[in-house]
Amino acid sequence: MFKKIILLGTLAVLGTAGGMVLNTQSAAAKSYGSPKTLKGIKYTHTTPKRARGTWYNWDKTIGANKIVVKKHQVKWYYRQHKQGKWQHQQTLTGKKLYVYRQKLNHKQMFGFYAAYQDDFSFYYTGTKKLKGKTVKYMSGNYTYYKAWKYAIR
C-alpha cells in the first residue's frame, strides 16, 4: 500500500495526466469561476484520433506506465518493474472525461482531465527515428511510445 501511495504521489507531482482527482473544487477552479472546467480553454469529451491506441513509457524512477486511449475513454496503468501485471490506476469515461485542446509553439496540444483537475499536463504527438524505424510517440512531461520495445530502450 505504501509503495502505491508513493507511486501515485510521484505521478501527480510529475504532472502526468493520471494525476490525483479531487472530490472538492480546487482553489484554481474557484479562481476560474467554473465548477468543473478550465476557463478560456474549450473542451470536448472525445479524444483526438491521433492519440488513440495504447502508449507505453518506462522510467527508472517511477517504473512503467501505460495509457490506453479510446474515443470516449482514457485509462492509466502502471507497474513497478518491467515485469508483472499492469495495475489499473485511473479511468475517465464519457462526461467525466474533459479533453482540452490548444495550440502552443506550432504544436496541436491536448490534455485528458477530470472535473476540477488543473495540473496543465498537455501532450502532442509525432514521429521520430529510433533504431532505424519511424516510431509514433506522444510527448508531454514524459514520452510515450506506441510499442513497448521502444519505451524500454
Side-chain angles (χ1 to χ4, degrees):
M1 181 67 176
F2 183 70
K3 287 181 184 179
K4 224 182 223 185
I5 292 171
I6 289 176
L7 179 64
L8 291 175
T10 303
L11 290 174
V13 169
L14 296 174
T16 61
M20 303 297 279
V21 178
L22 299 176
N23 290 330
T24 60
Q25 188 172 5
S26 69
K30 286 179 186 175
S31 70
Y32 295 135
S34 173
K36 293 185 177 181
T37 62
L38 301 177
K39 185 176 181 183
I41 303 177
K42 293 181 181 180
Y43 70 90
T44 66
H45 299 291
T46 305
T47 61
K49 286 183 181 179
R50 68 184 184 278
R52 294 179 193 160
T54 303
W55 300 89
Y56 300 94
N57 171 269
W58 167 252
D59 183 86
K60 291 178 186 176
T61 309
I62 61 173
N65 293 293
K66 176 171 74 169
I67 302 174
V68 179
V69 181
K70 295 181 181 178
K71 187 174 183 176
H72 298 291
Q73 182 183 66
V74 181
K75 287 185 177 185
W76 288 269
Y77 297 88
Y78 72 93
R79 62 183 181 187
Q80 298 280 335
H81 305 286
K82 294 177 187 176
Q83 303 170 2
K85 288 188 171 188
W86 289 98
Q87 303 294 317
H88 179 260
Q89 182 179 349
Q90 181 182 9
T91 299
L92 294 176
T93 304
K95 298 293 182 185
K96 293 182 180 182
L97 170 65
Y98 293 84
V99 181
Y100 295 101
R101 301 163 201 260
Q102 66 180 14
K103 189 171 186 175
L104 183 66
N105 297 329
H106 305 289
K107 294 180 181 170
Q108 292 295 332
M109 309 285 286
F110 56 90
F112 309 120
Y113 291 88
Y116 310 112
Q117 189 175 348
D118 60 356
D119 64 1
F120 295 102
S121 179
F122 282 84
Y123 296 98
Y124 62 91
T125 58
T127 59
K128 61 180 163 183
K129 288 270 190 183
L130 286 178
K131 301 179 184 177
K133 303 257 184 188
T134 301
V135 178
K136 290 183 180 181
Y137 72 93
M138 181 170 69
S139 189
N141 290 344
Y142 288 97
T143 302
Y144 291 82
Y145 296 94
K146 277 288 204 175
W148 174 244
K149 68 181 180 180
Y150 296 111
I152 59 172
R153 54 189 182 104

